[in-house]
Amino acid sequence: MTLLDLTWPLERAGEALTALAVQARLQPALRELGAPGAAVLADPDDAAIERWLAGAAAGLGLEAEAVDTDVAGVDALLRTAAPALLRVGPDGRALLLLLRGGRRTLLVLAPDLRPRRVALDDVRRAVCEHVLAPLRGRAEALVDRTGLRGQRRERAVELLLRERLSVLRVGRAFILRPSPAAPLLRLLRAEGLLARAAALALLHAAELALMITAWWLIGGLVFAGRTDAGWSQAWLLLLLTVVPCRMGQAAIAGEILRSAGALLKRRLLVGALALPGDLTRREGAGLLLGRVLETSAVESLGLRGGLVSLVAVLEFAAAIPILALGPAPVLHLALLAAWAALSVVLVARTGLHMTAWTDTRGELTHHLVEAMVGHRTRLAQEAPERWHDDDDARLVRVLARERDLNRSESLLVALLPRGWLVLGLAALLPAFVTGSAPAATIAAAIGGVLLAQRGLATFVVGATALLGCGVAVRQALPMLRAAESADAGAHGLMLSFPPVPEGQPIVVARGLGFRYPGRERPVLREVDLAIAAGDRLLLEGGSGGGKSTLGALVAGLREPTAGLVLLAGLDRPTLGLVGWRRRVAAAPQFHENHVVTATLAFNLLMGRSWPPTQKQLAEADAVCRELGLGELLDRMPSGLLQMVGETGWQLSHGERSRLFIARALLQSVDLVVLDESFAALDPATLQQALRCVLERARAVLVIAHP
């Protein structure tokens, strides 16, 4: 059986995607995906195929990350990418489903749904052959001159080709994983974090059992007055066995922190990108910066605090049966319960002080950022002797809250472990003085007291970290909620469809209305609109009339508060947010659009797959020149690969406007919405840019002032 016999045809891509997700235990949302349409399969650039795969994965509640690699990095990709889909074959029209990687062999899922093992070398050859084949003859002729024969000759040819062509790009792989905004329990299962946490708990329980056994053994020897070498060696072996337990715990804890940290960062990134525009405008740069700074504590404090708290619970639980066997079990357990209740009270008090301190510090961060942004206005409007009055007052409030927090934390750290040690030992005094209990029993009870003290000390560390994490999560809550809403919007029908035929409706709106949060009067009311393929519409009106709001509703940047909007006959929940934006592209107003500090090519093609093909770069170059940016490209030393943005090549207002227009046009959508995109252009440049838009856009809605 050849490798191609284990591949799936591209026509069965939906079935293959579902089968791989189920076999990899990613818990997909089972739904009928169907087969890619003829327009998708006929796409010469393969952009529609990749878009279909990404959309189909999102429909299953998964994320399909497209990963490119070069010849030199193929082996590393194959070993670590699973579960993934690999495009192989002469024309890339076959899919190889990778279930598990390995150093020499890979586990793939065959079309009969049976896992099969294949050699890594065979898969590498299938992925790279279309790149290496044109120069294979020259490499073979060169190796033949050395006189090598047989397998040594074949290996030399492969090594020579891989060395000389190592930087060439090869086929794209799609790595499957749960969506970062999926339910938390599902993410934890998919990443194996629950199993690792259980293994960590078992190892720590084993360590405690070994330590208790060693304590009991050495105590028995001492109080019995025995010096048996065999028992002493057994005690030593017990202590040595603790070492691999602790090493295993450290390794597992490191894996948990790494995986959970990456998971959390991805979730926060999705949420940050999905934050509503109204929220970002309302809060301002200062509060947003404060939120971002606090999110770093979610990972550093939350994950470590959770692991430490788990250890504390195990140690605390292990102390209970030991104290129950001591000379004063009722008194010890009652004191332990009371001390645990006191611990909860002190932790809650510390949490309140930490919340107040964090809120005050966030207000200070917001004030300082806003003051720096408006520093020139401040210099002109405020007397110099008053510049720092508000700053000083806010700083005093922060210091006062910090002082309260430090007192609470000091009481928590100093009182809980040490106070319990005093109480626990005091409860043993009557039995120790009267001699009513055996010495071994008293020694065991002392061990229980010390173990409970260790659990309380560990609990203080973990609880303090979790408190900080809780406060940070409160600051990051808008991003976490935005991530959940983004996930809900991604489950629509995002698969690629053929372009809307000429004259057929693209957007149909009936009774459309929109009201901004906190405002009584709606901006739009009972608006009916129909845009068909081939339409060129101009929307004019005065400021504040709702033009930009209507454009945002059409482009999917906002959701209407009343009425219905259909795109190609589908509503927003059915099509999904990403699916909507793949059929309508918008160039918002200048203050709502941005140039990213990256290459000009990235800024132009950020709505397409990345890295781009040569054909896509050529298309971007052509669109820029049609928009009148040819002189800019000729001046740039690196052309489309020139760095632009705040720390790169500076673009003028008009150049940025045309970059935004080009970005929308290059997304190859059915409808382009341009909001005040021509306002910064002179008449001649405006005519040139407008001609480009009318020639390239299938349908266009231009918003402008009269």
Side-chain angles (χ1 to χ4, degrees), residues 30 156 192 204 289 353 356:
L30 298 180
H204 193 72
L289 178 61
H353 287 156

mmCIF file of all heavy atoms in Angstrom, residues 30 156 192 204 289 353 356:
data_model
loop_
_atom_site.group_PDB
_atom_site.id
_atom_site.type_symbol
_atom_site.label_atom_id
_atom_site.label_comp_id
_atom_site.label_asym_id
_atom_site.label_seq_id
_atom_site.Cartn_x
_atom_site.Cartn_y
_atom_site.Cartn_z
ATOM 1 N N LEU A 30 -20.492 18.083 16.377
ATOM 2 C CA LEU A 30 -20.815 17.275 15.203
ATOM 3 C C LEU A 30 -21.884 17.969 14.368
ATOM 4 O O LEU A 30 -22.960 18.308 14.861
ATOM 5 C CB LEU A 30 -21.292 15.891 15.642
ATOM 6 C CG LEU A 30 -20.251 15.063 16.419
ATOM 7 C CD1 LEU A 30 -20.824 13.720 16.796
ATOM 8 C CD2 LEU A 30 -18.984 14.887 15.589
ATOM 9 N N ALA A 156 22.576 10.512 -0.422
ATOM 10 C CA ALA A 156 23.375 11.687 -0.775
ATOM 11 C C ALA A 156 22.566 12.662 -1.622
ATOM 12 O O ALA A 156 22.661 13.893 -1.441
ATOM 13 C CB ALA A 156 24.635 11.247 -1.525
ATOM 14 N N GLY A 192 -4.928 17.965 27.673
ATOM 15 C CA GLY A 192 -4.450 16.963 28.621
ATOM 16 C C GLY A 192 -4.131 17.523 29.989
ATOM 17 O O GLY A 192 -3.418 16.868 30.783
ATOM 18 N N HIS A 204 2.053 13.791 44.469
ATOM 19 C CA HIS A 204 2.213 14.471 45.757
ATOM 20 C C HIS A 204 1.624 13.633 46.886
ATOM 21 O O HIS A 204 2.183 13.601 47.998
ATOM 22 C CB HIS A 204 1.557 15.842 45.721
ATOM 23 C CG HIS A 204 1.938 16.703 46.884
ATOM 24 N ND1 HIS A 204 3.191 17.267 47.021
ATOM 25 C CD2 HIS A 204 1.250 17.066 47.996
ATOM 26 C CE1 HIS A 204 3.251 17.950 48.148
ATOM 27 N NE2 HIS A 204 2.088 17.850 48.762
ATOM 28 N N LEU A 289 -4.963 49.995 28.787
ATOM 29 C CA LEU A 289 -3.596 49.624 29.133
ATOM 30 C C LEU A 289 -3.546 48.988 30.517
ATOM 31 O O LEU A 289 -2.841 47.995 30.740
ATOM 32 C CB LEU A 289 -2.689 50.855 29.077
ATOM 33 C CG LEU A 289 -1.222 50.615 29.465
ATOM 34 C CD1 LEU A 289 -0.586 49.604 28.525
ATOM 35 C CD2 LEU A 289 -0.449 51.932 29.446
ATOM 36 N N HIS A 353 -8.955 44.098 50.350
ATOM 37 C CA HIS A 353 -7.916 45.125 50.287
ATOM 38 C C HIS A 353 -7.169 45.078 48.953
ATOM 39 O O HIS A 353 -6.801 46.124 48.398
ATOM 40 C CB HIS A 353 -6.939 44.943 51.448
ATOM 41 C CG HIS A 353 -7.517 45.339 52.771
ATOM 42 N ND1 HIS A 353 -7.054 44.832 53.963
ATOM 43 C CD2 HIS A 353 -8.527 46.175 53.096
ATOM 44 C CE1 HIS A 353 -7.735 45.356 54.963
ATOM 45 N NE2 HIS A 353 -8.646 46.174 54.458
ATOM 46 N N ALA A 356 -9.385 46.726 46.252
ATOM 47 C CA ALA A 356 -9.376 48.190 46.364
ATOM 48 C C ALA A 356 -8.056 48.766 45.866
ATOM 49 O O ALA A 356 -8.036 49.786 45.164
ATOM 50 C CB ALA A 356 -9.622 48.597 47.819
#
